[in-house]
């Protein structure tokens, strides 16, 4: 059948794609367009807890179970690795001595990095006006040394290099935080493939292993299948994804037939 042929193609192309992704330290997913209502993934586990560190720790353990369960593929989680960020801190005293306002420094850096539309060009062969965008080429904005050599006009007409007006500080950029129904949460995602194509069987296979995860006080985490936990004081998890859609459909159909 067409469905069986499609499944065999997915099983054949997934291993080499995952092998290439693993060599480069990236996450690759081989997905088909899902039927029915859109969900984040076929398998979705939501980690709840009192702090972000506790939620990430629980999510890491859940992800380990996903990774080591047969038939679960394309595992991922919505936790971003720390990304380095460079911030140019203006030395206001030096800037004032050189007669260069801080707003001019910020505008120059924004112009060099992000670019700015400075006008439009009317060309005879174009139906619409063509925007004129001023921006440094990539080769001139790829390092802090390149940007430090930029020169700004001072109040007395001299050109002052950017390096004389402040310094570049290395820091870590902010990461995304997720909430569901006003509750902070960390998501773990996965797909099913191979012998079991239903998320229900995959959840049943993993539920026992996940029940062995202990909280800091030695008690087992609680797993929720329908409603979110009422309290964030203790770490817990909830199943979502296609499972939740399947449950609601069968619940509503059962009530209708009844």
């Amino acid at each position: 059948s067409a469905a069986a042929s499609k499944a065999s193609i997915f099983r054949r192309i997934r291993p080499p794609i995952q092998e290439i992704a693993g060599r480069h330290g990236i996450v690759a997913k081989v997905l088909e367009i899902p039927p029915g209502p859109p969900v984040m993934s076929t398998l979705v586990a939501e980690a709840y807890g009192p702090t972000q560190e506790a939620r990430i720790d629980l999510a890491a353990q859940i992800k380990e179970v996903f990774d080591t369960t047969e038939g679960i593929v394309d595992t991922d989680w919505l936790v971003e690795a720390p990304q380095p960020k460079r911030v140019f801190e203006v030395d206001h005293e030096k800037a004032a001595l050189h007669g260069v306002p801080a707003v001019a420094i910020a505008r120059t850096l924004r112009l060099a990095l992000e670019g700015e539309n400075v006008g439009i060009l009317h060309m005879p062969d174009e139906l619409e006006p063509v925007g004129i965008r001023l921006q440094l080429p990539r080769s001139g904005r790829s390092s802090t040394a390149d940007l430090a050599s930029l020169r700004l006009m001072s109040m007395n007409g001299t050109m002052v290099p950017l390096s004389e007006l402040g310094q570049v500080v290395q820091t870590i950029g902010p990461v995304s935080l997720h909430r569901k129904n006003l509750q902070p949460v960390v998501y773990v995602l996965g797909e099913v493939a191979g012998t079991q194509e239903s998320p229900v069987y995959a959840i049943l296979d993993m539920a026992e292993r996940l029940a062995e995860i202990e909280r800091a006080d030695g008690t087992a985490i609680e797993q929720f299948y329908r409603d979110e936990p009422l309290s964030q004081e203790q770490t817990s998890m909830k199943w979502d994804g296609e499972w939740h859609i399947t449950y609601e459909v069968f619940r509503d159909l059962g009530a209708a037939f009844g």
Side-chain angles (χ1 to χ4, degrees):
S1 65
S5 176
K6 182 171 62 175
S8 65
I9 293 174
F10 273 64
R11 285 194 296 268
R12 189 169 67 251
I13 67 176
R14 179 176 281 111
I17 291 178
Q18 295 287 15
E19 192 274 331
I20 295 171
R23 277 192 276 125
H24 297 280
I26 62 177
V27 176
K29 301 180 182 181
V30 183
L31 304 176
E32 57 182 305
I33 299 176
V39 292
M40 296 179 64
S41 190
T42 302
L43 289 174
V44 178
E46 301 169 355
Y48 296 92
T51 64
Q52 181 67 2
E53 290 74 18
R55 290 186 287 271
I56 290 178
D57 180 66
L58 173 59
Q61 297 181 72
I62 295 173
K63 187 174 182 296
E64 176 65 21
V65 174
F66 274 42
D67 289 333
T68 55
T69 300
E70 185 179 358
I72 308 302
V73 298
D74 297 343
T75 57
D76 193 10
W77 64 345
L78 300 190
V79 177
E80 301 167 2
Q83 300 297 319
K85 180 181 180 181
R86 296 182 179 92
V87 177
F88 184 81
E89 291 187 350
V90 178
D91 188 323
H92 292 278
E93 184 176 349
K94 287 185 177 180
L97 290 174
H98 285 289
V100 179
V103 64
I105 299 174
R107 185 177 185 276
T108 299
L109 281 173
R110 184 172 62 250
L111 185 67
L113 294 170
E114 299 179 9
E116 184 177 319
N117 292 328
V118 295
I120 57 174
L121 180 65
H122 297 279
M123 300 184 66
D125 297 332
E126 297 290 340
L127 294 178
E128 300 290 339
V130 178
I132 303 173
R133 188 168 186 83
L134 190 61
Q135 185 181 32
L136 278 180
R138 186 176 297 275
S139 59
R141 53 186 167 93
S142 298
S143 69
T144 54
D146 295 330
L147 296 174
S149 64
L150 290 175
R151 294 179 177 271
L152 291 84
M153 180 75 71
S154 67
M155 299 293 286
N156 57 15
T158 60
M159 302 301 292
V160 182
L162 189 64
S163 58
E164 293 290 329
L165 303 173
Q167 62 180 344
V168 176
V169 177
Q170 297 281 354
T171 183
I172 300 298
V175 297
S176 300
L177 299 177
H178 300 273
R179 288 179 179 269
K180 181 177 180 181
N181 296 332
L182 303 181
Q183 300 275 21
V185 63
V186 173
Y187 293 101
V188 180
L189 314 175
E191 299 291 332
V192 293
T195 57
Q196 53 184 18
E197 295 292 343
S198 171
V200 178
Y201 298 118
I203 290 174
L204 294 176
D205 289 344
M206 291 187 290
E208 293 184 5
R209 296 179 60 194
L210 291 171
E212 298 175 359
I213 299 177
E214 294 184 350
R215 297 170 174 152
D217 58 4
T219 59
I221 66 165
E222 188 174 359
Q223 298 183 55
F224 292 85
Y225 291 85
R226 295 176 297 175
D227 302 319
E228 288 82 9
L230 297 177
S231 172
Q232 291 272 21
E233 295 181 1
Q234 296 285 351
T235 53
S236 57
M237 67 157 291
K238 177 187 177 296
W239 289 105
D240 203 83
E242 282 191 12
W243 150 262
H244 198 74
I245 300 297
T246 303
Y247 163 76
E248 289 185 338
V249 168
F250 276 90
R251 178 198 62 189
D252 295 344
L253 284 176
F257 279 116

